[in-house]
Every structure is written in structure tokens, then in C-alpha cells.
Amino acid sequence: AASAPAVLKGTGKITTSGTVVTGHGTIFEKELATGDAILVLINGQEELRVITMRLSNQSLNLSSGFSTSLKVPTTFQYIRKPRDATKERMDAQRKHEQAREEQEQHAFDLYSSSTQMVYREKTETGSYRIKKEQVQGGKSRADLLEMRAKKTSDKYC
């Protein structure tokens, strides 16, 4: 049998306007995550709402607003979303592997076999146009930048 979820006391107090929650002395980034639920007492009734987005230690969004906006800073409790540790670990590992592959790909200098240099050239009217010029052989990023720098009209060099 599954045990009942733990109701934890939140740090600080909150006010709300619709689905937007503003924290006062809160540490949302340490205590709360997307999918967790916030529990508050409004007119003697407990109301529970699910967090859809945590923006900072002082701001988050809810799935729907409480029956009335909390204009006065109010204490709150929260219930953590049941976690699937295996799935979270696999997602983190997949993300890490993807980041490593991207970093590896960039480390091999994507422009090393480039045969085209792109730069901006000033027009008669004072604006810029994009120019493309064929270059011989594989050029590194450094080579392309050096070539662009020699084009005195390029506004980025």
C-alpha cells in the first residue's frame, strides 16, 4: 500500500494574483519543483494547486488560480510530486550525453572544411549587405575571421 504524501511547511509567505504566485522570504528554487502542489488555507478551506512553472525564488505559476487572490502574505504548505528516480536519472544521463556530443562536435571546428566566407559590406546608403565569397581549401574559424577582419567594411570586425 502506498503511503500518503508528506505535507511540508513552506518557507516564507505568498501572495497570488490569478495563477501568478509571488513569494515573500521564500526559497522556491530549493523547496519546490514543477509538478509539486501548493496548499493554502482560504476562508477556512484548504485549497491545493499544482505548480506549472518555477521562475525564481520569489515567483512561480500555478495550473489554476485559487478561489480568491491572496492579497495579504499567507503561509503555505506543499506536497512534492511523486518522483520516478529511474526516469529522472535516465533523462539526466541522456541530457548529459547530448551536451557532451554537442561539445565534441564544436571542438572539431565545424568550419574547418568551409569553402565560403560570409561578411557584411557597407552600401552607398550607409546600410549593410551580406556578401558571400568562395575561398580555397578548408579554412579554420580563425582563418575566416582573419580574412573578414581584412575587409574593412565589415561592421563586426
Side-chain angles (χ1 to χ4, degrees):
S3 61
V7 177
L8 306 166
K9 183 180 179 343
T11 302
K13 295 184 177 188
I14 60 171
T15 54
T16 65
S17 178
T19 60
V20 177
V21 177
T22 302
H24 306 274
T26 51
I27 50 173
F28 293 155
E29 291 180 343
K30 282 188 178 180
E31 292 182 339
L32 304 171
T34 300
D36 291 351
I38 285 192
L39 182 68
V40 294
L41 195 61
I42 298 177
N43 297 327
Q45 297 283 358
E46 284 185 335
E47 292 190 27
L48 184 91
R49 297 293 182 271
V50 176
I51 298 169
T52 56
M53 184 174 19
R54 183 189 66 207
L55 302 170
S56 69
N57 270 330
Q58 292 83 30
S59 181
L60 53 86
N61 282 32
L62 302 174
S63 57
S64 60
F66 292 111
S67 60
T68 183
S69 290
L70 302 171
K71 303 288 185 204
V72 176
T74 306
T75 59
F76 69 99
Q77 296 176 305
Y78 63 97
I79 300 171
R80 294 198 181 277
K81 172 186 170 187
R83 305 287 194 239
D84 183 346
T86 304
K87 182 181 180 303
E88 287 178 10
R89 190 170 43 255
M90 289 183 73
D91 286 347
Q93 188 176 4
R94 192 172 322 132
K95 231 179 196 178
H96 176 72
E97 183 65 26
Q98 185 178 10
R100 189 184 61 75
E101 285 174 10
E102 287 175 8
Q103 185 178 19
E104 225 172 71
Q105 186 178 16
H106 288 294
F108 285 110
D109 195 5
L110 298 176
Y111 299 103
S112 62
S113 62
S114 183
T115 59
Q116 189 177 63
M117 176 177 65
V118 179
Y119 62 97
R120 287 166 180 76
E121 181 177 75
K122 198 168 201 167
T123 65
E124 304 78 38
T125 61
S127 61
Y128 289 87
R129 70 173 146 245
I130 295 177
K131 298 284 283 187
K132 295 180 181 182
E133 189 177 296
Q134 294 299 324
V135 294
Q136 295 204 353
K139 300 287 183 185
S140 70
R141 288 182 188 178
D143 294 337
L144 291 175
L145 181 59
E146 187 176 321
M147 291 170 69
R148 271 184 60 197
K150 289 178 183 173
K151 304 279 185 189
T152 57
S153 62
D154 192 337
K155 72 175 184 178
Y156 292 113
C157 287

Tab-separated table of all heavy atoms in Angstrom, residues 101-131:
chain	number	residue	atom	x	y	z
A	101	GLU	N	28.056	15.347	-26.693
A	101	GLU	CA	28.160	15.188	-28.141
A	101	GLU	C	28.205	16.537	-28.844
A	101	GLU	O	28.984	16.734	-29.782
A	101	GLU	CB	26.986	14.357	-28.674
A	101	GLU	CG	27.097	12.882	-28.371
A	101	GLU	CD	25.856	12.104	-28.774
A	101	GLU	OE1	24.979	12.669	-29.459
A	101	GLU	OE2	25.773	10.921	-28.412
A	102	GLU	N	27.375	17.486	-28.394
A	102	GLU	CA	27.384	18.818	-28.993
A	102	GLU	C	28.726	19.501	-28.774
A	102	GLU	O	29.265	20.130	-29.682
A	102	GLU	CB	26.252	19.669	-28.413
A	102	GLU	CG	24.883	19.280	-28.909
A	102	GLU	CD	23.760	20.048	-28.239
A	102	GLU	OE1	24.046	21.008	-27.489
A	102	GLU	OE2	22.599	19.695	-28.461
A	103	GLN	N	29.262	19.377	-27.567
A	103	GLN	CA	30.551	19.988	-27.258
A	103	GLN	C	31.656	19.363	-28.111
A	103	GLN	O	32.527	20.058	-28.636
A	103	GLN	CB	30.863	19.820	-25.775
A	103	GLN	CG	32.117	20.533	-25.332
A	103	GLN	CD	32.350	20.380	-23.839
A	103	GLN	OE1	31.801	19.480	-23.200
A	103	GLN	NE2	33.173	21.228	-23.280
A	104	GLU	N	31.597	18.043	-28.265
A	104	GLU	CA	32.579	17.339	-29.072
A	104	GLU	C	32.519	17.801	-30.525
A	104	GLU	O	33.535	18.038	-31.158
A	104	GLU	CB	32.285	15.834	-29.009
A	104	GLU	CG	33.498	14.983	-28.784
A	104	GLU	CD	33.095	13.550	-28.552
A	104	GLU	OE1	32.660	12.892	-29.524
A	104	GLU	OE2	33.205	13.088	-27.407
A	105	GLN	N	31.299	17.954	-31.022
A	105	GLN	CA	31.107	18.374	-32.405
A	105	GLN	C	31.697	19.773	-32.619
A	105	GLN	O	32.380	20.014	-33.606
A	105	GLN	CB	29.615	18.374	-32.746
A	105	GLN	CG	29.329	18.659	-34.199
A	105	GLN	CD	27.855	18.605	-34.504
A	105	GLN	OE1	27.024	18.654	-33.602
A	105	GLN	NE2	27.515	18.506	-35.759
A	106	HIS	N	31.483	20.677	-31.676
A	106	HIS	CA	32.021	22.025	-31.802
A	106	HIS	C	33.540	22.047	-31.641
A	106	HIS	O	34.214	22.896	-32.211
A	106	HIS	CB	31.364	22.970	-30.798
A	106	HIS	CG	29.958	23.286	-31.153
A	106	HIS	ND1	29.618	23.996	-32.275
A	106	HIS	CD2	28.794	22.970	-30.558
A	106	HIS	CE1	28.305	24.110	-32.348
A	106	HIS	NE2	27.785	23.489	-31.313
A	107	ALA	N	34.067	21.116	-30.866
A	107	ALA	CA	35.505	21.077	-30.640
A	107	ALA	C	36.260	20.742	-31.925
A	107	ALA	O	37.413	21.097	-32.086
A	107	ALA	CB	35.840	20.059	-29.562
A	108	PHE	N	35.613	20.043	-32.861
A	108	PHE	CA	36.266	19.670	-34.112
A	108	PHE	C	36.163	20.757	-35.163
A	108	PHE	O	36.436	20.526	-36.322
A	108	PHE	CB	35.689	18.353	-34.646
A	108	PHE	CG	36.176	17.171	-33.883
A	108	PHE	CD1	35.315	16.468	-33.077
A	108	PHE	CD2	37.505	16.777	-33.940
A	108	PHE	CE1	35.762	15.382	-32.352
A	108	PHE	CE2	37.957	15.695	-33.219
A	108	PHE	CZ	37.088	14.992	-32.428
A	109	ASP	N	35.764	21.973	-34.743
A	109	ASP	CA	35.727	23.125	-35.622
A	109	ASP	C	34.857	22.854	-36.848
A	109	ASP	O	35.332	22.404	-37.870
A	109	ASP	CB	37.134	23.539	-36.032
A	109	ASP	CG	37.140	24.929	-36.644
A	109	ASP	OD1	36.093	25.585	-36.663
A	109	ASP	OD2	38.201	25.348	-37.095
A	110	LEU	N	33.591	23.143	-36.709
A	110	LEU	CA	32.629	22.885	-37.767
A	110	LEU	C	32.974	23.582	-39.075
A	110	LEU	O	32.543	23.175	-40.125
A	110	LEU	CB	31.229	23.349	-37.319
A	110	LEU	CG	30.667	22.643	-36.100
A	110	LEU	CD1	29.344	23.241	-35.708
A	110	LEU	CD2	30.527	21.168	-36.361
A	111	TYR	N	33.754	24.650	-39.002
A	111	TYR	CA	34.071	25.407	-40.200
A	111	TYR	C	35.388	24.977	-40.841
A	111	TYR	O	35.861	25.606	-41.758
A	111	TYR	CB	34.137	26.910	-39.863
A	111	TYR	CG	32.830	27.425	-39.353
A	111	TYR	CD1	32.641	27.654	-37.995
A	111	TYR	CD2	31.770	27.659	-40.199
A	111	TYR	CE1	31.426	28.116	-37.516
A	111	TYR	CE2	30.558	28.122	-39.735
A	111	TYR	CZ	30.394	28.351	-38.390
A	111	TYR	OH	29.198	28.801	-37.919
A	112	SER	N	35.982	23.907	-40.354
A	112	SER	CA	37.304	23.538	-40.842
A	112	SER	C	37.289	23.182	-42.319
A	112	SER	O	38.295	23.289	-42.986
A	112	SER	CB	37.881	22.397	-40.014
A	112	SER	OG	37.057	21.270	-40.129
A	113	SER	N	36.170	22.772	-42.853
A	113	SER	CA	36.126	22.427	-44.267
A	113	SER	C	35.324	23.457	-45.063
A	113	SER	O	34.857	23.179	-46.144
A	113	SER	CB	35.524	21.037	-44.439
A	113	SER	OG	34.193	21.052	-43.951
A	114	SER	N	35.186	24.649	-44.506
A	114	SER	CA	34.397	25.676	-45.152
A	114	SER	C	35.050	26.163	-46.436
A	114	SER	O	36.259	26.358	-46.503
A	114	SER	CB	34.189	26.854	-44.204
A	114	SER	OG	33.372	27.811	-44.832
A	115	THR	N	34.226	26.366	-47.468
A	115	THR	CA	34.724	26.890	-48.734
A	115	THR	C	34.085	28.230	-49.042
A	115	THR	O	34.216	28.744	-50.135
A	115	THR	CB	34.428	25.906	-49.884
A	115	THR	OG1	33.016	25.706	-49.953
A	115	THR	CG2	35.145	24.589	-49.679
A	116	GLN	N	33.365	28.780	-48.077
A	116	GLN	CA	32.676	30.040	-48.302
A	116	GLN	C	32.848	30.961	-47.102
A	116	GLN	O	32.688	30.535	-45.965
A	116	GLN	CB	31.179	29.763	-48.530
A	116	GLN	CG	30.404	30.966	-48.993
A	116	GLN	CD	28.960	30.601	-49.264
A	116	GLN	OE1	28.270	30.199	-48.331
A	116	GLN	NE2	28.536	30.722	-50.500
A	117	MET	N	33.169	32.224	-47.368
A	117	MET	CA	33.283	33.212	-46.305
A	117	MET	C	32.100	34.166	-46.457
A	117	MET	O	31.789	34.629	-47.547
A	117	MET	CB	34.595	33.996	-46.439
A	117	MET	CG	34.705	35.103	-45.401
A	117	MET	SD	36.255	36.015	-45.449
A	117	MET	CE	36.156	36.801	-47.044
A	118	VAL	N	31.442	34.453	-45.328
A	118	VAL	CA	30.307	35.369	-45.322
A	118	VAL	C	30.704	36.596	-44.519
A	118	VAL	O	31.230	36.477	-43.416
A	118	VAL	CB	29.059	34.695	-44.693
A	118	VAL	CG1	27.887	35.652	-44.665
A	118	VAL	CG2	28.706	33.424	-45.436
A	119	TYR	N	30.458	37.776	-45.072
A	119	TYR	CA	30.773	39.017	-44.378
A	119	TYR	C	29.774	40.095	-44.776
A	119	TYR	O	29.005	39.918	-45.710
A	119	TYR	CB	32.217	39.456	-44.645
A	119	TYR	CG	32.524	39.759	-46.102
A	119	TYR	CD1	32.493	41.067	-46.567
A	119	TYR	CD2	32.846	38.746	-47.000
A	119	TYR	CE1	32.763	41.355	-47.895
A	119	TYR	CE2	33.121	39.027	-48.316
A	119	TYR	CZ	33.082	40.334	-48.769
A	119	TYR	OH	33.345	40.620	-50.072
A	120	ARG	N	29.806	41.223	-44.068
A	120	ARG	CA	28.898	42.335	-44.356
A	120	ARG	C	29.687	43.461	-45.004
A	120	ARG	O	30.800	43.761	-44.603
A	120	ARG	CB	28.242	42.818	-43.066
A	120	ARG	CG	27.210	41.824	-42.583
A	120	ARG	CD	26.807	42.109	-41.145
A	120	ARG	NE	25.821	41.161	-40.680
A	120	ARG	CZ	26.078	39.914	-40.328
A	120	ARG	NH1	27.302	39.457	-40.401
A	120	ARG	NH2	25.120	39.123	-39.918
A	121	GLU	N	29.050	44.076	-46.010
A	121	GLU	CA	29.697	45.150	-46.738
A	121	GLU	C	28.791	46.376	-46.706
A	121	GLU	O	27.586	46.270	-46.897
A	121	GLU	CB	29.918	44.689	-48.181
A	121	GLU	CG	30.611	45.687	-49.058
A	121	GLU	CD	30.842	45.108	-50.446
A	121	GLU	OE1	29.865	45.020	-51.215
A	121	GLU	OE2	31.984	44.734	-50.725
A	122	LYS	N	29.398	47.520	-46.469
A	122	LYS	CA	28.635	48.768	-46.384
A	122	LYS	C	28.177	49.181	-47.784
A	122	LYS	O	28.950	49.135	-48.738
A	122	LYS	CB	29.477	49.870	-45.755
A	122	LYS	CG	28.674	51.032	-45.238
A	122	LYS	CD	29.534	51.927	-44.371
A	122	LYS	CE	28.627	52.745	-43.487
A	122	LYS	NZ	29.337	53.409	-42.431
A	123	THR	N	26.903	49.619	-47.882
A	123	THR	CA	26.371	50.088	-49.165
A	123	THR	C	26.520	51.596	-49.265
A	123	THR	O	26.919	52.263	-48.306
A	123	THR	CB	24.874	49.718	-49.303
A	123	THR	OG1	24.138	50.419	-48.310
A	123	THR	CG2	24.666	48.227	-49.156
A	124	GLU	N	26.142	52.128	-50.423
A	124	GLU	CA	26.225	53.559	-50.649
A	124	GLU	C	25.293	54.333	-49.717
A	124	GLU	O	25.544	55.490	-49.379
A	124	GLU	CB	25.836	53.901	-52.106
A	124	GLU	CG	26.656	53.187	-53.161
A	124	GLU	CD	26.225	51.732	-53.378
A	124	GLU	OE1	25.021	51.429	-53.332
A	124	GLU	OE2	27.117	50.897	-53.565
A	125	THR	N	24.194	53.694	-49.296
A	125	THR	CA	23.203	54.371	-48.458
A	125	THR	C	23.541	54.298	-46.967
A	125	THR	O	22.824	54.832	-46.140
A	125	THR	CB	21.805	53.753	-48.679
A	125	THR	OG1	21.855	52.371	-48.311
A	125	THR	CG2	21.362	53.904	-50.125
A	126	GLY	N	24.623	53.617	-46.626
A	126	GLY	CA	25.015	53.536	-45.223
A	126	GLY	C	24.551	52.270	-44.527
A	126	GLY	O	24.923	52.009	-43.395
A	127	SER	N	23.731	51.458	-45.182
A	127	SER	CA	23.317	50.191	-44.572
A	127	SER	C	24.336	49.109	-44.967
A	127	SER	O	25.346	49.401	-45.612
A	127	SER	CB	21.907	49.827	-45.033
A	127	SER	OG	21.894	49.666	-46.444
A	128	TYR	N	24.078	47.876	-44.606
A	128	TYR	CA	24.999	46.787	-44.908
A	128	TYR	C	24.303	45.713	-45.713
A	128	TYR	O	23.111	45.479	-45.566
A	128	TYR	CB	25.551	46.182	-43.599
A	128	TYR	CG	26.521	47.096	-42.894
A	128	TYR	CD1	26.070	48.058	-42.009
A	128	TYR	CD2	27.884	46.992	-43.119
A	128	TYR	CE1	26.963	48.905	-41.365
A	128	TYR	CE2	28.786	47.824	-42.481
A	128	TYR	CZ	28.312	48.777	-41.605
A	128	TYR	OH	29.198	49.606	-40.972
A	129	ARG	N	25.060	45.024	-46.562
A	129	ARG	CA	24.528	43.867	-47.287
A	129	ARG	C	25.447	42.688	-46.999
A	129	ARG	O	26.640	42.867	-46.753
A	129	ARG	CB	24.411	44.154	-48.778
A	129	ARG	CG	25.720	44.265	-49.496
A	129	ARG	CD	25.533	44.386	-51.011
A	129	ARG	NE	26.586	45.255	-51.522
A	129	ARG	CZ	26.380	46.423	-52.079
A	129	ARG	NH1	25.162	46.861	-52.257
A	129	ARG	NH2	27.396	47.150	-52.492
A	130	ILE	N	24.864	41.518	-47.041
A	130	ILE	CA	25.636	40.297	-46.778
A	130	ILE	C	26.278	39.847	-48.078
A	130	ILE	O	25.620	39.745	-49.102
A	130	ILE	CB	24.732	39.191	-46.197
A	130	ILE	CG1	24.218	39.633	-44.831
A	130	ILE	CG2	25.479	37.869	-46.127
A	130	ILE	CD1	23.270	38.663	-44.191
A	131	LYS	N	27.576	39.584	-48.012
A	131	LYS	CA	28.336	39.120	-49.173
A	131	LYS	C	28.874	37.729	-48.865
A	131	LYS	O	29.246	37.429	-47.736
A	131	LYS	CB	29.517	40.054	-49.455
A	131	LYS	CG	29.148	41.473	-49.798
A	131	LYS	CD	28.635	41.615	-51.197
A	131	LYS	CE	29.808	41.575	-52.151
A	131	LYS	NZ	29.519	41.852	-53.524
